[in-house]
Amino acid sequence: EDQVTQSPEALRLQEGESSSLNCSYTVSGLRGLFWYRQDPGKGPEFLFTLYSAGEEKEKERLKATLTKKESFLHITAPKPEDSATYLCAVSPGYNKLIFGAGTRLAVHP
Amino acid sequence: GAGVSQSPRYKVAKRGQDVALRCDPISGHVSLFWYQQALGQGPEFLTYFQNEAQLDKSGLPSDRFFAERPEGSVSTLKIQRTQQEDSAVYLCASSVYQANEKLFFGSGTQLSVL
């Protein structure tokens, strides 16, 4: 069964304190792995797509990496505005995305 | 428009009532998706349209759920005889691609069934 597990469920950081979020997955043929950010009361916002092991993508303070079994979202020197829920999703095909439950990140000044 | 628009933003229904949720995707976006998000969980896939064709409805939880996109733009998700377990946020997303690449999500409709 295709499955995505994210850890930790919640993370509290001080401003400037770097950390990583984990996304472990099992899928019958990975076409792509996606990271989205979701703010309260809003829909998810696209961040990255990764297609193959070893691939890395960066955007501002965020860097996503991919191995054959997991992905990491590294947050460098986070700011309070980075506070959100970060969702990981896998795609076995071109139709549905299978999302994890997310990591709720809180960055305090 | 500037983004994906969903209406209503909130909907309260009595158990057994029928509801209709509307999605206006970004103009020109070929693909349209519906997802259901329970509190504290990630979105779960419901159905996928490419233009007006419903190519995948494997995630619809029962035959009480029905979706359409008759002209390849606006879509409606209809839930008949609502049950308490239908309470969730219903998210619509669209993409310029003929696939689930780089989805743009609306803010969702929060459905509460009493």
Side-chain angles (χ1 to χ4, degrees):
Chain A
E1 181 186 354
D2 298 334
Q3 193 170 340
V4 176
T5 303
Q6 293 189 245
S7 62
E9 290 184 8
L11 182 62
R12 177 188 171 115
L13 298 174
Q14 289 297 123
E15 185 172 2
E17 179 187 3
S18 302
S19 188
S20 295
L21 313 182
N22 177 264
C23 171
S24 299
Y25 63 90
T26 54
V27 63
S28 53
L30 179 71
R31 189 187 72 77
L33 184 140
F34 304 81
W35 283 98
Y36 281 82
R37 167 191 171 130
Q38 187 172 27
D39 292 298
K42 302 288 187 183
E45 177 186 350
F46 173 80
L47 292 173
F48 304 109
T49 308
L50 301 167
Y51 294 102
S52 57
E55 189 174 359
E56 297 183 352
K57 294 265 180 82
E58 285 190 65
K59 178 181 179 180
E60 296 180 357
R61 294 176 293 282
L62 301 177
K63 182 169 82 171
T65 62
L66 180 64
T67 71
K68 288 188 176 180
K69 292 189 176 182
E70 57 190 350
S71 176
F72 292 93
L73 185 66
H74 307 279
I75 303 177
T76 302
K79 298 182 177 182
E81 53 262 43
D82 295 323
S83 298
T85 296
Y86 290 85
L87 296 164
C88 172
V90 297
S91 172
Y94 293 90
N95 297 351
K96 66 179 176 181
L97 295 179
I98 300 165
F99 282 89
T103 293
R104 295 188 310 278
L105 174 66
V107 181
H108 296 267
Chain B
V4 177
S5 177
Q6 292 188 246
S7 61
R9 185 73 179 88
Y10 303 93
K11 177 69 178 178
V12 178
K14 291 183 179 179
R15 192 171 55 183
Q17 194 174 5
D18 296 350
V19 298
L21 313 180
R22 177 186 170 103
C23 173
D24 280 273
I26 294 173
S27 178
H29 276 200
V30 169
S31 296
L32 185 145
F33 303 81
W34 284 97
Y35 282 82
Q36 180 189 61
Q37 187 172 25
L39 190 64
Q41 299 299 311
E44 287 197 16
F45 172 81
L46 294 177
T47 188
Y48 162 56
F49 290 86
Q50 189 177 113
N51 296 308
E52 69 278 6
Q54 189 174 21
L55 298 185
D56 188 343
K57 55 181 181 179
S58 63
L60 296 177
S62 77
D63 58 7
R64 296 186 295 103
F65 287 70
F66 172 78
E68 61 182 4
R69 193 186 185 199
E71 297 178 358
S73 54
V74 171
S75 177
T76 303
L77 176 67
K78 298 179 180 178
I79 309 173
Q80 297 178 324
R81 304 181 303 281
T82 53
Q83 304 294 314
Q84 283 189 323
E85 60 262 29
D86 299 335
S87 296
V89 174
Y90 290 85
L91 295 165
C92 176
S94 69
S95 174
V96 68
Y97 302 99
Q98 293 181 5
N100 52 19
E101 296 286 345
K102 196 172 182 179
L103 301 188
F104 288 85
F105 282 84
S107 293
T109 293
Q110 184 170 330
L111 174 65
S112 299
V113 181
L114 306 178

Short mmCIF file of all heavy atoms in Angstrom, two decimals, chain B residues 44-94:
data_model
loop_
_atom_site.label_atom_id
_atom_site.label_comp_id
_atom_site.label_asym_id
_atom_site.label_seq_id
_atom_site.Cartn_x
_atom_site.Cartn_y
_atom_site.Cartn_z
N GLU B 44 -6.67 14.16 1.14
CA GLU B 44 -6.87 12.86 0.50
C GLU B 44 -7.56 13.05 -0.85
O GLU B 44 -8.57 13.75 -0.95
CB GLU B 44 -7.71 11.94 1.40
CG GLU B 44 -6.96 11.43 2.60
CD GLU B 44 -7.64 10.24 3.25
OE1 GLU B 44 -8.52 9.62 2.62
OE2 GLU B 44 -7.29 9.92 4.40
N PHE B 45 -7.01 12.39 -1.85
CA PHE B 45 -7.52 12.52 -3.22
C PHE B 45 -8.95 12.02 -3.34
O PHE B 45 -9.31 10.96 -2.80
CB PHE B 45 -6.61 11.71 -4.14
CG PHE B 45 -7.08 11.58 -5.55
CD1 PHE B 45 -6.86 12.60 -6.47
CD2 PHE B 45 -7.77 10.44 -5.97
CE1 PHE B 45 -7.31 12.47 -7.78
CE2 PHE B 45 -8.21 10.31 -7.26
CZ PHE B 45 -7.97 11.32 -8.18
N LEU B 46 -9.76 12.79 -4.06
CA LEU B 46 -11.12 12.37 -4.37
C LEU B 46 -11.28 12.05 -5.85
O LEU B 46 -11.68 10.95 -6.23
CB LEU B 46 -12.12 13.45 -3.97
CG LEU B 46 -12.27 13.75 -2.48
CD1 LEU B 46 -13.25 14.90 -2.27
CD2 LEU B 46 -12.72 12.52 -1.71
N THR B 47 -10.97 13.04 -6.71
CA THR B 47 -11.22 12.84 -8.13
C THR B 47 -10.38 13.81 -8.97
O THR B 47 -9.87 14.81 -8.45
CB THR B 47 -12.71 13.01 -8.45
OG1 THR B 47 -12.97 12.64 -9.81
CG2 THR B 47 -13.18 14.45 -8.23
N TYR B 48 -10.22 13.48 -10.27
CA TYR B 48 -9.37 14.25 -11.18
C TYR B 48 -10.05 14.42 -12.53
O TYR B 48 -10.60 13.46 -13.09
CB TYR B 48 -8.04 13.50 -11.35
CG TYR B 48 -7.21 13.87 -12.55
CD1 TYR B 48 -6.82 15.20 -12.76
CD2 TYR B 48 -6.77 12.91 -13.45
CE1 TYR B 48 -6.04 15.54 -13.85
CE2 TYR B 48 -5.99 13.25 -14.55
CZ TYR B 48 -5.62 14.56 -14.75
OH TYR B 48 -4.85 14.91 -15.81
N PHE B 49 -10.03 15.64 -13.03
CA PHE B 49 -10.54 15.96 -14.36
C PHE B 49 -9.41 16.46 -15.25
O PHE B 49 -8.55 17.23 -14.81
CB PHE B 49 -11.60 17.07 -14.29
CG PHE B 49 -12.88 16.67 -13.65
CD1 PHE B 49 -13.04 16.73 -12.27
CD2 PHE B 49 -13.96 16.25 -14.42
CE1 PHE B 49 -14.23 16.37 -11.67
CE2 PHE B 49 -15.16 15.90 -13.83
CZ PHE B 49 -15.30 15.96 -12.45
N GLN B 50 -9.43 16.03 -16.49
CA GLN B 50 -8.60 16.66 -17.51
C GLN B 50 -9.58 17.29 -18.49
O GLN B 50 -10.31 16.57 -19.20
CB GLN B 50 -7.70 15.65 -18.20
CG GLN B 50 -6.68 16.28 -19.12
CD GLN B 50 -5.76 15.24 -19.75
OE1 GLN B 50 -5.79 15.02 -20.95
NE2 GLN B 50 -4.96 14.59 -18.93
N ASN B 51 -9.59 18.61 -18.54
CA ASN B 51 -10.66 19.34 -19.23
C ASN B 51 -12.01 18.88 -18.68
O ASN B 51 -12.19 18.87 -17.47
CB ASN B 51 -10.53 19.16 -20.74
CG ASN B 51 -9.23 19.77 -21.25
OD1 ASN B 51 -8.94 20.94 -20.98
ND2 ASN B 51 -8.43 19.00 -21.97
N GLU B 52 -12.93 18.43 -19.52
CA GLU B 52 -14.24 18.03 -19.02
C GLU B 52 -14.33 16.55 -18.67
O GLU B 52 -15.33 16.09 -18.12
CB GLU B 52 -15.33 18.39 -20.03
CG GLU B 52 -15.31 17.59 -21.31
CD GLU B 52 -14.31 18.11 -22.33
OE1 GLU B 52 -13.55 19.04 -21.99
OE2 GLU B 52 -14.27 17.56 -23.43
N ALA B 53 -13.28 15.83 -18.98
CA ALA B 53 -13.29 14.38 -18.76
C ALA B 53 -12.83 14.03 -17.34
O ALA B 53 -11.76 14.44 -16.90
CB ALA B 53 -12.38 13.70 -19.78
N GLN B 54 -13.66 13.25 -16.65
CA GLN B 54 -13.30 12.76 -15.32
C GLN B 54 -12.49 11.49 -15.50
O GLN B 54 -13.03 10.42 -15.77
CB GLN B 54 -14.56 12.50 -14.49
CG GLN B 54 -14.28 12.20 -13.03
CD GLN B 54 -15.55 12.10 -12.19
OE1 GLN B 54 -16.64 11.86 -12.71
NE2 GLN B 54 -15.45 12.30 -10.90
N LEU B 55 -11.16 11.61 -15.34
CA LEU B 55 -10.28 10.49 -15.64
C LEU B 55 -10.06 9.56 -14.45
O LEU B 55 -9.64 8.41 -14.63
CB LEU B 55 -8.93 10.99 -16.15
CG LEU B 55 -8.96 11.79 -17.45
CD1 LEU B 55 -7.54 12.11 -17.90
CD2 LEU B 55 -9.73 11.06 -18.53
N ASP B 56 -10.31 10.04 -13.25
CA ASP B 56 -10.07 9.21 -12.07
C ASP B 56 -11.04 9.65 -10.99
O ASP B 56 -11.03 10.81 -10.59
CB ASP B 56 -8.62 9.37 -11.61
CG ASP B 56 -8.24 8.40 -10.50
OD1 ASP B 56 -9.13 7.81 -9.86
OD2 ASP B 56 -7.03 8.23 -10.26
N LYS B 57 -11.88 8.74 -10.54
CA LYS B 57 -12.78 9.03 -9.43
C LYS B 57 -12.63 7.98 -8.34
O LYS B 57 -13.54 7.75 -7.55
CB LYS B 57 -14.23 9.14 -9.89
CG LYS B 57 -14.77 7.95 -10.66
CD LYS B 57 -16.21 8.23 -11.08
CE LYS B 57 -16.79 7.04 -11.83
NZ LYS B 57 -18.21 7.28 -12.23
N SER B 58 -11.46 7.39 -8.30
CA SER B 58 -11.20 6.28 -7.37
C SER B 58 -11.25 6.69 -5.91
O SER B 58 -11.42 5.84 -5.04
CB SER B 58 -9.85 5.64 -7.69
OG SER B 58 -8.80 6.57 -7.50
N GLY B 59 -11.07 7.97 -5.61
CA GLY B 59 -11.05 8.41 -4.22
C GLY B 59 -12.40 8.82 -3.66
O GLY B 59 -12.52 9.06 -2.45
N LEU B 60 -13.43 8.88 -4.47
CA LEU B 60 -14.75 9.24 -3.97
C LEU B 60 -15.21 8.16 -2.99
O LEU B 60 -15.26 6.98 -3.34
CB LEU B 60 -15.74 9.37 -5.12
CG LEU B 60 -15.45 10.50 -6.11
CD1 LEU B 60 -16.46 10.51 -7.25
CD2 LEU B 60 -15.45 11.86 -5.40
N PRO B 61 -15.54 8.55 -1.75
CA PRO B 61 -15.76 7.54 -0.70
C PRO B 61 -17.04 6.72 -0.84
O PRO B 61 -17.11 5.63 -0.30
CB PRO B 61 -15.78 8.37 0.59
CG PRO B 61 -16.01 9.77 0.17
CD PRO B 61 -15.57 9.92 -1.22
N SER B 62 -18.03 7.24 -1.53
CA SER B 62 -19.26 6.48 -1.71
C SER B 62 -20.01 7.04 -2.91
O SER B 62 -19.63 8.06 -3.48
CB SER B 62 -20.13 6.57 -0.45
OG SER B 62 -20.79 7.83 -0.39
N ASP B 63 -21.09 6.35 -3.27
CA ASP B 63 -21.88 6.84 -4.41
C ASP B 63 -22.70 8.06 -4.05
O ASP B 63 -23.45 8.58 -4.88
CB ASP B 63 -22.76 5.72 -4.98
CG ASP B 63 -23.71 5.15 -3.94
OD1 ASP B 63 -23.79 5.71 -2.82
OD2 ASP B 63 -24.38 4.14 -4.25
N ARG B 64 -22.56 8.56 -2.82
CA ARG B 64 -23.22 9.82 -2.46
C ARG B 64 -22.43 11.03 -2.97
O ARG B 64 -22.95 12.14 -2.98
CB ARG B 64 -23.37 9.94 -0.95
CG ARG B 64 -24.26 8.87 -0.33
CD ARG B 64 -24.47 9.13 1.18
NE ARG B 64 -23.25 9.03 1.96
CZ ARG B 64 -22.57 10.06 2.41
NH1 ARG B 64 -22.98 11.30 2.18
NH2 ARG B 64 -21.47 9.87 3.11
N PHE B 65 -21.18 10.78 -3.37
CA PHE B 65 -20.31 11.85 -3.85
C PHE B 65 -20.29 11.83 -5.38
O PHE B 65 -20.08 10.78 -6.01
CB PHE B 65 -18.89 11.66 -3.33
CG PHE B 65 -18.71 11.96 -1.88
CD1 PHE B 65 -19.24 11.14 -0.89
CD2 PHE B 65 -18.01 13.08 -1.47
CE1 PHE B 65 -19.08 11.42 0.46
CE2 PHE B 65 -17.83 13.37 -0.13
CZ PHE B 65 -18.37 12.55 0.84
N PHE B 66 -20.45 13.02 -5.95
CA PHE B 66 -20.50 13.15 -7.41
C PHE B 66 -19.82 14.45 -7.80
O PHE B 66 -20.04 15.48 -7.17
CB PHE B 66 -21.96 13.14 -7.87
CG PHE B 66 -22.15 13.45 -9.31
CD1 PHE B 66 -21.91 12.49 -10.28
CD2 PHE B 66 -22.59 14.70 -9.71
CE1 PHE B 66 -22.08 12.78 -11.63
CE2 PHE B 66 -22.77 15.00 -11.05
CZ PHE B 66 -22.51 14.04 -12.01
N ALA B 67 -18.97 14.42 -8.83
CA ALA B 67 -18.31 15.63 -9.29
C ALA B 67 -18.49 15.79 -10.78
O ALA B 67 -18.59 14.80 -11.51
CB ALA B 67 -16.82 15.59 -8.95
N GLU B 68 -18.52 17.03 -11.22
CA GLU B 68 -18.65 17.30 -12.65
C GLU B 68 -17.89 18.54 -13.02
O GLU B 68 -17.65 19.43 -12.19
CB GLU B 68 -20.13 17.43 -13.04
CG GLU B 68 -20.85 18.54 -12.34
CD GLU B 68 -22.34 18.59 -12.73
OE1 GLU B 68 -22.82 17.73 -13.48
OE2 GLU B 68 -23.02 19.53 -12.26
N ARG B 69 -17.55 18.62 -14.31
CA ARG B 69 -16.84 19.78 -14.87
C ARG B 69 -17.30 19.88 -16.34
O ARG B 69 -16.53 19.65 -17.26
CB ARG B 69 -15.33 19.59 -14.77
CG ARG B 69 -14.52 20.84 -15.03
CD ARG B 69 -13.02 20.54 -15.06
NE ARG B 69 -12.23 21.76 -15.20
CZ ARG B 69 -10.97 21.78 -15.60
NH1 ARG B 69 -10.34 20.65 -15.90
NH2 ARG B 69 -10.32 22.92 -15.69
N PRO B 70 -18.55 20.22 -16.56
CA PRO B 70 -19.18 20.04 -17.88
C PRO B 70 -18.54 20.80 -19.03
O PRO B 70 -18.57 20.32 -20.16
CB PRO B 70 -20.63 20.48 -17.64
CG PRO B 70 -20.58 21.30 -16.40
CD PRO B 70 -19.47 20.78 -15.57
N GLU B 71 -17.98 21.97 -18.76
CA GLU B 71 -17.40 22.77 -19.85
C GLU B 71 -15.89 22.89 -19.74
O GLU B 71 -15.29 23.75 -20.39
CB GLU B 71 -18.08 24.14 -19.90
CG GLU B 71 -19.56 24.05 -20.22
CD GLU B 71 -20.24 25.41 -20.23
OE1 GLU B 71 -19.58 26.42 -19.95
OE2 GLU B 71 -21.46 25.45 -20.52
N GLY B 72 -15.32 22.08 -18.87
CA GLY B 72 -13.86 22.08 -18.75
C GLY B 72 -13.30 23.25 -17.96
O GLY B 72 -12.09 23.48 -18.00
N SER B 73 -14.16 23.97 -17.25
CA SER B 73 -13.63 25.05 -16.40
C SER B 73 -14.15 24.87 -14.98
O SER B 73 -13.56 24.12 -14.22
CB SER B 73 -13.99 26.42 -16.97
OG SER B 73 -15.38 26.54 -17.16
N VAL B 74 -15.28 25.49 -14.65
CA VAL B 74 -15.85 25.39 -13.30
C VAL B 74 -16.22 23.94 -13.00
O VAL B 74 -16.69 23.19 -13.86
CB VAL B 74 -17.09 26.29 -13.20
CG1 VAL B 74 -17.84 26.04 -11.90
CG2 VAL B 74 -16.69 27.76 -13.32
N SER B 75 -15.98 23.56 -11.74
CA SER B 75 -16.34 22.22 -11.30
C SER B 75 -17.23 22.30 -10.06
O SER B 75 -17.13 23.25 -9.27
CB SER B 75 -15.10 21.41 -10.97
OG SER B 75 -15.42 20.11 -10.49
N THR B 76 -18.09 21.31 -9.92
CA THR B 76 -18.96 21.21 -8.75
C THR B 76 -18.80 19.83 -8.13
O THR B 76 -18.84 18.82 -8.84
CB THR B 76 -20.43 21.45 -9.12
OG1 THR B 76 -20.56 22.71 -9.76
CG2 THR B 76 -21.30 21.42 -7.87
N LEU B 77 -18.63 19.81 -6.81
CA LEU B 77 -18.63 18.56 -6.05
C LEU B 77 -19.95 18.52 -5.29
O LEU B 77 -20.25 19.43 -4.53
CB LEU B 77 -17.45 18.51 -5.09
CG LEU B 77 -17.37 17.29 -4.16
CD1 LEU B 77 -17.12 16.02 -4.95
CD2 LEU B 77 -16.29 17.49 -3.10
N LYS B 78 -20.71 17.48 -5.53
CA LYS B 78 -22.01 17.34 -4.88
C LYS B 78 -21.98 16.16 -3.91
O LYS B 78 -21.46 15.09 -4.25
CB LYS B 78 -23.10 17.14 -5.93
CG LYS B 78 -23.25 18.32 -6.88
CD LYS B 78 -24.34 18.08 -7.92
CE LYS B 78 -24.45 19.27 -8.85
NZ LYS B 78 -25.47 19.06 -9.92
N ILE B 79 -22.52 16.38 -2.75
CA ILE B 79 -22.63 15.32 -1.75
C ILE B 79 -24.11 15.17 -1.41
O ILE B 79 -24.75 16.13 -0.97
CB ILE B 79 -21.82 15.62 -0.48
CG1 ILE B 79 -20.37 16.00 -0.83
CG2 ILE B 79 -21.83 14.41 0.45
CD1 ILE B 79 -19.55 16.48 0.36
N GLN B 80 -24.62 13.99 -1.63
CA GLN B 80 -26.03 13.73 -1.35
C GLN B 80 -26.17 13.09 0.04
O GLN B 80 -25.28 12.37 0.50
CB GLN B 80 -26.61 12.79 -2.41
CG GLN B 80 -26.61 13.39 -3.81
CD GLN B 80 -27.14 12.39 -4.84
OE1 GLN B 80 -26.90 11.19 -4.74
NE2 GLN B 80 -27.85 12.90 -5.84
N ARG B 81 -27.28 13.40 0.68
CA ARG B 81 -27.62 12.77 1.97
C ARG B 81 -26.41 12.80 2.92
O ARG B 81 -25.90 11.77 3.35
CB ARG B 81 -28.09 11.33 1.76
CG ARG B 81 -29.27 11.21 0.80
CD ARG B 81 -29.72 9.77 0.64
NE ARG B 81 -28.65 8.88 0.19
CZ ARG B 81 -28.23 8.78 -1.06
NH1 ARG B 81 -28.77 9.54 -2.01
NH2 ARG B 81 -27.27 7.93 -1.38
N THR B 82 -25.94 14.01 3.21
CA THR B 82 -24.72 14.19 4.00
C THR B 82 -24.78 13.46 5.34
O THR B 82 -25.85 13.37 5.97
CB THR B 82 -24.43 15.67 4.25
OG1 THR B 82 -25.59 16.30 4.82
CG2 THR B 82 -24.04 16.37 2.96
N GLN B 83 -23.62 12.95 5.74
CA GLN B 83 -23.44 12.27 7.01
C GLN B 83 -22.40 13.02 7.84
O GLN B 83 -21.60 13.79 7.28
CB GLN B 83 -22.97 10.83 6.78
CG GLN B 83 -23.89 10.01 5.89
CD GLN B 83 -25.24 9.77 6.54
OE1 GLN B 83 -25.33 9.43 7.71
NE2 GLN B 83 -26.31 9.98 5.78
N GLN B 84 -22.37 12.78 9.14
CA GLN B 84 -21.42 13.49 9.99
C GLN B 84 -19.98 13.23 9.57
O GLN B 84 -19.13 14.12 9.66
CB GLN B 84 -21.64 13.10 11.46
CG GLN B 84 -22.84 13.77 12.08
CD GLN B 84 -22.93 13.55 13.59
OE1 GLN B 84 -22.60 12.48 14.08
NE2 GLN B 84 -23.38 14.56 14.29
N GLU B 85 -19.71 12.03 9.07
CA GLU B 85 -18.34 11.71 8.67
C GLU B 85 -17.89 12.46 7.41
O GLU B 85 -16.72 12.41 7.04
CB GLU B 85 -18.17 10.20 8.45
CG GLU B 85 -19.07 9.60 7.37
CD GLU B 85 -20.31 8.96 7.95
OE1 GLU B 85 -20.79 9.40 9.02
OE2 GLU B 85 -20.81 8.01 7.31
N ASP B 86 -18.83 13.15 6.77
CA ASP B 86 -18.47 13.97 5.60
C ASP B 86 -17.88 15.33 6.02
O ASP B 86 -17.37 16.06 5.17
CB ASP B 86 -19.70 14.23 4.72
CG ASP B 86 -20.31 12.95 4.18
OD1 ASP B 86 -19.59 11.95 4.05
OD2 ASP B 86 -21.53 12.96 3.89
N SER B 87 -17.96 15.65 7.31
CA SER B 87 -17.43 16.92 7.80
C SER B 87 -15.92 16.96 7.57
O SER B 87 -15.18 16.08 8.03
CB SER B 87 -17.73 17.10 9.29
OG SER B 87 -19.11 17.18 9.51
N ALA B 88 -15.46 17.99 6.84
CA ALA B 88 -14.06 18.11 6.46
C ALA B 88 -13.91 19.40 5.66
O ALA B 88 -14.88 20.08 5.36
CB ALA B 88 -13.61 16.92 5.60
N VAL B 89 -12.66 19.71 5.30
CA VAL B 89 -12.41 20.78 4.34
C VAL B 89 -12.23 20.14 2.97
O VAL B 89 -11.48 19.17 2.82
CB VAL B 89 -11.14 21.58 4.71
CG1 VAL B 89 -10.83 22.60 3.62
CG2 VAL B 89 -11.33 22.28 6.05
N TYR B 90 -12.96 20.66 2.00
CA TYR B 90 -12.87 20.15 0.64
C TYR B 90 -12.06 21.14 -0.19
O TYR B 90 -12.43 22.30 -0.34
CB TYR B 90 -14.26 19.93 0.06
CG TYR B 90 -14.93 18.77 0.74
CD1 TYR B 90 -15.63 18.95 1.93
CD2 TYR B 90 -14.83 17.47 0.23
CE1 TYR B 90 -16.20 17.87 2.59
CE2 TYR B 90 -15.40 16.39 0.88
CZ TYR B 90 -16.08 16.60 2.07
OH TYR B 90 -16.65 15.53 2.73
N LEU B 91 -10.93 20.67 -0.68
CA LEU B 91 -9.99 21.49 -1.43
C LEU B 91 -10.07 21.19 -2.91
O LEU B 91 -10.15 20.03 -3.31
CB LEU B 91 -8.56 21.21 -0.95
CG LEU B 91 -8.21 21.59 0.49
CD1 LEU B 91 -6.91 20.92 0.92
CD2 LEU B 91 -8.10 23.09 0.64
N CYS B 92 -10.02 22.25 -3.69
CA CYS B 92 -9.94 22.12 -5.14
C CYS B 92 -8.56 22.61 -5.57
O CYS B 92 -8.03 23.56 -4.99
CB CYS B 92 -11.04 22.95 -5.79
SG CYS B 92 -10.98 22.98 -7.59
N ALA B 93 -7.99 21.97 -6.57
CA ALA B 93 -6.69 22.39 -7.09
C ALA B 93 -6.70 22.30 -8.60
O ALA B 93 -7.41 21.47 -9.18
CB ALA B 93 -5.58 21.50 -6.52
N SER B 94 -5.92 23.16 -9.24
CA SER B 94 -5.82 23.08 -10.69
C SER B 94 -4.35 23.16 -11.12
O SER B 94 -3.48 23.60 -10.35
CB SER B 94 -6.63 24.19 -11.37
OG SER B 94 -6.07 25.47 -11.15
#
